[in-house]
């Protein structure tokens, strides 16, 4: 060091750089391992040993076909080897929060970036096409809004189903809205962050609809456990999506009545129906033109189902619909995809 200080400084710099590079490679390796483990937890409809390019081409081909694809954003329909016992059956893609009360629209306008549309077309004549099994309740709006921080930074982009209310006290006239997170932001984060912001003067109540919740609903006339499901049917064109919906979903909702028809909501409009289940109860079905995907890629419809949780698979409308959509003997059904296909 005394004879050649510059050489010592060079060796010292090399040593520091070597340690930095080693730490960088270690961090990168840990990041890759965490990412691999993260994606391995997602369920897939395909064999995970298949090349991703082959799976991607299969998904694109299914989307371009007349049958299209279907996704369940609230229930894992395909198992994964790394899932724990608590994670089996629960999807991490989308969570739903219900806002209900006379101050619903004021609460939404104050907490989010986009205001609720003022005009609500109550399409009561749409009930003329419904039978005894499917009853039209009301029409509302669907729009997207930003959930922001106090500094105006975007936390998440929410999809809102907003329905107006009236003072008649009739079921279906209660002012309410459903907040759906963007896929990938599921869980109870949104509900946990909004709950402390609710005060008595807001005149609203929040319900975490992720998975199974306990709430007082007019569906069963009392306190019961309700299950919320969000299922999307997407095709290359809107006409194909309507045809597939009539063949694979409407026949389940109508109890096999082929003569039953419903009016398809236009973009920006959401319809609320009541459907009689197999065990004699009623389920709320919210129906809208939305796919969680760009319109340039596909068109289709999303149904949000609120029903009494039942251990019987046949009594659960969401399970029956998904089973009919993805039945191997259903040649006209769409291709069911897992959460891994959506994420990648």
């Amino acid at each position: 060091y005394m004879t050649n200080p510059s050489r010592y400084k060079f060796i010292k710099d090399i040593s520091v750089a070597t340690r930095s590079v080693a730490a960088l490679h270690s961090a990168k390796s840990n990041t890759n391992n965490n990412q691999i483990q993260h994606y391995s937890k997602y369920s897939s409809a395909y064999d995970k040993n298949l090349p991703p390019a082959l799976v991607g081409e299969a998904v694109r081909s299914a989307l371009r076909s007349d049958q299209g694809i279907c996704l369940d954003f609230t229930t894992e329909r395909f198992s994964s080897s790394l899932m724990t016992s608590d994670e089996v059956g629960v999807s991490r893609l989308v969570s739903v929060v219900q806002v209900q009360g006379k101050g619903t629209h004021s609460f939404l306008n104050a907490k989010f970036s986009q205001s609720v549309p003022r005009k609500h077309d109550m399409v009561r004549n749409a009930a003329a096409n419904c039978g005894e099994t499917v009853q039209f309740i009301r029409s509302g709006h669907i729009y997207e809004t930003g959930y922001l921080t106090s500094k105006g930074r975007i936390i998440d982009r929410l999809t809102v189903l907003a329905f107006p209310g009236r003072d008649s006290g009739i079921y279906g006239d209660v002012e309410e809205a459903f907040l759906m997170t963007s896929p990938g932001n599921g869980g109870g984060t949104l509900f946990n962050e909004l709950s402390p912001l609710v005060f008595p003067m807001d005149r609203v109540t929040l319900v975490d609809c992720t998975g199974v919740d306990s709430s007082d609903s007019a569906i069963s006339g009392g306190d019961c456990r309700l299950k919320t499901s969000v299922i999307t049917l997407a095709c290359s064109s809107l006409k194909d999506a309507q045809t597939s919906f009539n063949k694979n979903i409407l026949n389940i909702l109508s109890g096999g009545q082929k003569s039953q028809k419903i009016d398809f909501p236009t973009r920006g409009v959401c319809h609320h129906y009541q459907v009689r289940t197999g065990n004699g109860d009623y389920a709320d079905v919210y129906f809208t033109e939305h796919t969680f995907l760009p319109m340039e890629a596909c068109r289709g419809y999303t149904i949000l189902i609120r029903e009494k949780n039942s251990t019987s698979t046949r009594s659960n409308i969401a399970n029956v619909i998904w089973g009919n959509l993805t039945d191997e003997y259903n040649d006209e059904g769409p291709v069911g995809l897992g959460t891994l296909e959506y994420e990648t």
Side-chain angles (χ1 to χ4, degrees), residues 194-207:
L194 289 179
S195 295
L197 305 179
V198 178
F199 298 94
M201 295 182 63
D202 292 329
R203 297 181 300 172
V204 297
T205 57
L206 301 184
V207 177

Side-chain angles (χ1 to χ4, degrees), residues 174-232:
V174 180
E175 189 173 341
E176 68 175 348
F178 292 93
L179 310 177
M180 295 189 295
T181 63
S182 59
N185 292 328
T189 304
L190 179 63
F191 176 79
N192 295 334
E193 293 184 358
L194 289 179
S195 295
L197 305 179
V198 178
F199 298 94
M201 295 182 63
D202 292 329
R203 297 181 300 172
V204 297
T205 57
L206 301 184
V207 177
D208 187 5
C209 302
T210 304
V212 179
D213 64 86
S214 179
S215 62
D216 188 12
S217 175
I219 295 179
S220 62
D223 185 59
C224 64
R225 298 186 66 83
L226 301 178
K227 180 181 180 181
T228 302
S229 303
V230 178
I231 299 178
T232 294

Side-chain angles (χ1 to χ4, degrees), residues 110-126:
K111 296 297 186 292
F112 304 106
S113 63
Q114 185 72 17
S115 299
V116 180
R118 294 183 178 180
K119 295 182 180 180
H120 294 275
D121 300 325
M122 302 299 292
V123 192
R124 289 292 179 180
N125 56 2

Side-chain angles (χ1 to χ4, degrees), residues 49-62:
N49 294 324
L50 293 175
L54 185 61
V55 175
E57 185 59 32
V59 173
R60 284 190 292 268
S61 299

Side-chain angles (χ1 to χ4, degrees), residues 54-254:
L54 185 61
V55 175
E57 185 59 32
V59 173
R60 284 190 292 268
S61 299
L63 192 58
R64 295 192 189 102
S65 64
D66 297 337
Q67 288 79 11
I69 61 173
C70 59
L71 290 156
D72 192 334
F73 289 97
T74 50
T75 305
E76 288 284 6
R77 298 294 180 177
F78 307 95
S79 62
S80 176
S81 58
L82 293 183
M83 286 184 182
T84 62
S85 57
D86 296 334
E87 294 174 336
V88 174
V90 180
S91 176
R92 294 168 295 278
L93 279 182
V94 171
S95 63
V96 182
V97 175
Q98 182 189 30
V99 185
Q100 192 176 55
K102 293 184 177 180
T104 297
H105 288 181
S106 300
F107 180 82
L108 297 179
N109 293 339
K111 296 297 186 292
F112 304 106
S113 63
Q114 185 72 17
S115 299
V116 180
R118 294 183 178 180
K119 295 182 180 180
H120 294 275
D121 300 325
M122 302 299 292
V123 192
R124 289 292 179 180
N125 56 2
N129 292 331
C130 298
E132 297 180 356
T133 307
V134 182
Q135 298 180 1
F136 177 81
I137 303 298
R138 57 182 168 174
S139 177
H141 282 278
I142 175 175
Y143 65 98
E144 292 184 345
T145 185
Y147 180 36
L148 310 177
T149 64
S150 58
K151 295 184 178 180
R153 297 178 179 177
I154 297 179
I155 300 176
D156 191 14
R157 185 179 65 179
L158 305 178
T159 301
V160 183
L161 309 180
F163 296 91
R166 299 191 301 182
D167 296 330
S168 61
I170 302 176
Y171 173 63
D173 289 336
V174 180
E175 189 173 341
E176 68 175 348
F178 292 93
L179 310 177
M180 295 189 295
T181 63
S182 59
N185 292 328
T189 304
L190 179 63
F191 176 79
N192 295 334
E193 293 184 358
L194 289 179
S195 295
L197 305 179
V198 178
F199 298 94
M201 295 182 63
D202 292 329
R203 297 181 300 172
V204 297
T205 57
L206 301 184
V207 177
D208 187 5
C209 302
T210 304
V212 179
D213 64 86
S214 179
S215 62
D216 188 12
S217 175
I219 295 179
S220 62
D223 185 59
C224 64
R225 298 186 66 83
L226 301 178
K227 180 181 180 181
T228 302
S229 303
V230 178
I231 299 178
T232 294
L233 174 65
C235 298
S236 57
S237 66
L238 200 59
K239 182 179 179 181
D240 292 338
Q242 293 177 356
T243 303
S244 182
F245 184 91
N246 288 330
K247 293 180 179 179
N248 301 292
I249 297 180
L250 183 58
N251 62 336
I252 301 297
L253 298 178
S254 62

Side-chain angles (χ1 to χ4, degrees), residues 266-284:
T266 58
R267 188 161 185 83
V269 178
C270 181
H271 289 174
H272 176 193
Y273 293 92
Q274 241 189 13
V275 180
R276 185 185 295 274
T277 62
N279 54 8
D281 292 327
Y282 285 94
D284 287 322

